[in-house]
Amino acid sequence: MVGCLLLKHLYNLGDETLEKAWIMNPYMQYFCGMVFFEHEFPCDPSNFVHFRKRIGEEGIEKIFAYSVRIHDTKMNTSNFVLSDTTVQENNTTFPTDTKLCKKVIDYCNKIAENEA
């Protein structure tokens, strides 16, 4: 609920629109602690109203203050950098690639020139 509340405020979404965005976005699901991709929202969107009433305005302020304190640049002394390499090009040539066909043709031409 806290992760969803943070996402709701970060992206300025309503309760129902958060549900739709959460279902389509695996990064939002991972942010909320899900290990596998889910096709259904974990709770009814009306539960946000009950959750906000239960923790109150003071509780919401504590959650946001804590999240800011965690990500404060002065407290972060780690030199660890996380990079996403899922879109990195792959150095694989498949038999159907035209560059492989051209390479074979060029090699055959080279052999023919040497034999002639």
Side-chain angles (χ1 to χ4, degrees):
M1 290 298 282
V2 172
C4 288
L5 183 68
L6 288 170
L7 289 171
K8 184 177 170 348
H9 285 281
L10 281 172
Y11 293 106
N12 196 20
L13 300 171
D15 294 342
E16 282 81 23
T17 53
L18 173 66
E19 176 187 14
K20 291 175 186 172
W22 190 89
I23 290 171
M24 291 189 298
N25 193 337
Y27 294 107
M28 284 186 173
Q29 293 184 17
Y30 185 76
F31 180 79
C32 293
M34 298 295 172
V35 179
F36 299 104
F37 183 78
E38 301 287 332
H39 296 282
E40 293 182 11
F41 198 61
C43 64
D44 190 63
S46 64
N47 289 345
F48 284 115
V49 176
H50 304 297
F51 181 69
R52 285 191 297 267
K53 285 182 181 177
R54 179 178 278 175
I55 64 173
E57 194 70 32
E58 187 177 306
I60 292 173
E61 288 176 11
K62 282 183 182 179
I63 290 170
F64 287 126
Y66 185 72
S67 66
V68 168
R69 192 165 23 115
I70 286 174
H71 297 97
D72 188 14
T73 56
K74 294 177 184 173
M75 290 185 66
N76 190 4
T77 58
S78 174
N79 291 334
F80 181 74
V81 176
L82 180 66
S83 69
D84 183 13
T85 60
T86 56
V87 293
Q88 187 174 1
E89 285 190 25
N90 193 352
N91 193 15
T92 304
T93 303
F94 295 99
T96 56
D97 285 348
T98 56
K99 70 176 182 179
L100 184 61
C101 291
K102 177 158 176 25
K103 194 174 184 180
V104 169
I105 290 169
D106 290 344
Y107 186 74
C108 289
N109 286 337
K110 191 178 199 182
I111 292 173
E113 286 176 6
N114 290 340
E115 293 296 322

